[in-house]
Amino acid sequence: DISIPTGVTLTLGGTIKSISDGASPTKYTQTYSTAVTLSADADFQGSSVTFGDTVNGGVSFKVSGNGEFSGTIGGTTAPSAITVTGTTKINTAVIKSSGNQTYTGAVTIGEQNTTFTSTTGKLNFASTLTGTPTIAAGSSTPHDVTISGNADFKGIVSNFNDFSVSGATSINSPAITTTGTQTYTGTVTLNANSTLTASAATFKNNILKPSTQYLKIIGNVATTSTAKRIEPDFLLNGSL
């Protein structure tokens, strides 16, 4: 195992394994309680890799295993790419990269609003994306997710309040469910039959389908003057 306490300055690059001598690192953990600066493309390999503080550096940032982020990622200098091959726990409000972000396993977001930003790439969620509502005084309060950039969803999205994507959206997911609104500013491409559940779903651009996909919406629907082309068959339970 690797454990780095607070109060130290840590600059890393290359492959960081939990053990040496070529043995498999997949059963060991890494924990970084201090800020991490990446000086070169970095691959953190372990059963789980936990970052308790910020991570910065304009290079590729990869976790080969399960990852947990509790500090701002890319707040000062955004990584060129972010990749997690296992599951991901996100306990921070900001995750920013200049290029792609790829999350292969299930992503769980903690009790906070979170913004994902990719300035030139795409957010790729290959599995589920799930929020964690705050429980207080017997009530459950979900949180918001904002995606600044393009996004691709392949798994079910659930347990959020407001949900928005500023760029193009590719929906390969059977369901995106929120208690609040859903807003899609860029073109939406429907690659699978999907159900969107929201208090209101707003589409500000075209809605396209490559084949015979249909879109079911539970809630109200709004489109703007820029939404000039709507291809999928609609099943609507709400008002348009």
Side-chain angles (χ1 to χ4, degrees), residues 55-66:
V55 178
N56 288 286
V59 294
S60 176
F61 173 35
K62 182 178 182 180
V63 174
S64 295
N66 300 326

Side-chain angles (χ1 to χ4, degrees), residues 4 17 47 64 76 114 167 170 175-176 197 203 217:
I4 307 297
K17 293 184 178 182
S47 61
S64 295
T76 302
T114 296
S170 178
I176 298 177
T197 302
F203 300 91
I217 297 179

Side-chain angles (χ1 to χ4, degrees), residues 34-51:
T34 192
V36 173
T37 300
L38 305 177
S39 61
D41 292 350
D43 183 4
F44 296 83
Q45 301 179 2
S47 61
S48 65
V49 184
T50 300
F51 297 88

Side-chain angles (χ1 to χ4, degrees), residues 161 176-182 196-201 217-220 237:
N161 182 37
I176 298 177
T177 302
T178 62
T179 58
T181 63
Q182 296 181 31
L196 307 185
T197 302
S199 61
I217 297 179
I218 300 175
N220 301 324
N237 181 5

Side-chain angles (χ1 to χ4, degrees), residues 6-154:
T6 58
V8 298
T9 301
L10 193 61
T11 302
L12 297 171
T15 300
I16 300 92
K17 293 184 178 182
S18 299
I19 54 178
S20 60
D21 300 327
S24 172
T26 56
K27 62 177 71 173
Y28 297 91
T29 65
Q30 298 183 33
T31 302
Y32 301 91
S33 300
T34 192
V36 173
T37 300
L38 305 177
S39 61
D41 292 350
D43 183 4
F44 296 83
Q45 301 179 2
S47 61
S48 65
V49 184
T50 300
F51 297 88
D53 207 324
T54 59
V55 178
N56 288 286
V59 294
S60 176
F61 173 35
K62 182 178 182 180
V63 174
S64 295
N66 300 326
E68 181 170 353
F69 307 119
S70 295
T72 297
I73 309 299
T76 302
T77 306
S80 59
I82 298 171
T83 303
V84 182
T85 65
T87 63
T88 305
K89 294 181 180 180
I90 295 174
N91 302 308
T92 182
V94 175
I95 295 186
K96 184 176 182 180
S97 65
S98 59
N100 292 339
Q101 295 182 35
T102 302
Y103 302 95
T104 303
V107 175
T108 303
I109 297 180
E111 298 180 31
Q112 76 283 323
N113 299 331
T114 296
T115 297
F116 295 88
T117 299
S118 174
T119 54
T120 62
K122 180 188 291 187
L123 278 297
N124 299 287
F125 297 94
S127 187
T128 56
L129 176 61
T130 308
T132 304
T134 297
I135 307 297
S139 63
S140 175
T141 303
H143 301 279
D144 302 339
V145 165
T146 302
I147 294 178
S148 179
N150 304 320
D152 183 0
F153 303 101
K154 289 184 171 64

